[in-house]
Amino acid sequence: LWIVLFCSVVFFLQNAPEVCAQFSEARVEKLRVAVDAPDLTLKELGGGSISLKELQGKIILLNFFATWCPHCQREAPSMVNLHQEFKNTDLVLLKVATKEKEKDLRKHKDQFNIAFPILMDDDASCANRYGVWNRPATFLISREGKIVGRLVKEVEWTSIGMRKLIEFLLKGEKP
């Protein structure tokens, strides 16, 4: 019995998926079971609108933030750097602001030189569907439109662990 148990443990450890290590190293909460990302179609600051369904096939980093949030302000420069580093890949960064004035969003965009979409969730319906109560809150969405990870904290987006996780997801690995 001990031999069977030992062999089972060794087999499990040898075949443990690399993906858990990638999420752990990036300090991202990996969902045990990936769930469908609620679709959203939101107005983009500056005009137009964006729908998650239109982005299927891409890796999406969906970041809920607030212009008044000090944690959101501190993580903004590293998110801009992440975008710059991965801008020619299938990674899409989206910032979502809830119940914010356009003038405040423009000021935030200019202050941090944000070159990726800022979406406006005027009635908080999107934040509610994602269960967002605190800011910043970020969801990693797979190419298949599944939420595979989430963070509800300030993040250093250009950390080695985060870069490795994004590269891992971009390679098409299944979380």
Side-chain angles (χ1 to χ4, degrees):
L1 180 64
W2 287 107
I3 293 172
V4 170
L5 182 59
F6 177 76
C7 290
S8 297
V9 169
V10 168
F11 177 79
F12 174 75
L13 291 176
Q14 286 178 338
N15 293 300
E18 177 186 353
V19 69
C20 290
Q22 297 293 344
F23 277 80
S24 178
E25 188 176 342
R27 299 177 186 235
V28 173
E29 178 188 349
K30 181 185 180 310
L31 273 62
R32 289 177 193 231
V33 176
V35 296
D36 289 333
D39 189 29
L40 59 85
T41 300
L42 292 174
K43 188 169 72 169
E44 184 178 354
L45 182 66
S49 64
I50 292 182
S51 167
L52 281 188
K53 282 191 179 186
E54 294 169 0
L55 298 172
Q56 198 149 358
K58 309 268 187 195
I59 302 296
I60 301 168
L61 195 150
L62 185 66
N63 174 257
F64 290 85
F65 79 106
T67 58
W68 47 263
C69 164
H71 300 289
C72 302
Q73 292 171 1
R74 282 194 300 266
E75 79 172 1
S78 71
M79 188 173 281
V80 168
N81 290 339
L82 180 75
H83 175 259
Q84 187 65 28
E85 184 174 338
F86 288 94
K87 70 180 178 182
N88 295 321
T89 69
D90 279 346
L91 177 67
V92 176
L93 276 67
L94 300 173
K95 289 178 77 73
V96 179
T98 303
K99 296 183 178 181
E100 294 261 2
K101 295 178 181 170
E102 271 193 59
K103 69 178 178 91
D104 294 334
L105 292 173
R106 288 185 197 289
K107 182 179 175 186
H108 180 83
K109 183 174 181 148
D110 292 343
Q111 178 182 355
F112 295 106
N113 199 26
I114 297 170
F116 50 91
I118 295 178
L119 306 177
M120 297 177 288
D121 185 15
D122 294 331
D123 62 359
S125 61
C126 181
N128 290 338
R129 280 186 291 179
Y130 277 81
V132 173
W133 303 107
N134 294 321
R135 310 292 188 282
T138 306
F139 297 85
L140 286 169
I141 302 173
S142 71
R143 294 179 189 278
E144 294 77 30
K146 305 274 188 189
I147 298 173
V148 295
R150 76 174 161 210
L151 301 112
V152 185
K153 62 182 177 181
E154 178 183 337
V155 175
E156 173 52 54
W157 291 104
T158 55
S159 70
I160 292 169
M162 187 59 70
R163 284 182 178 134
K164 284 182 179 179
L165 175 59
I166 290 169
E167 288 168 359
F168 182 79
L169 293 172
L170 285 169
K171 285 180 188 172
E173 304 291 338
K174 296 276 186 190

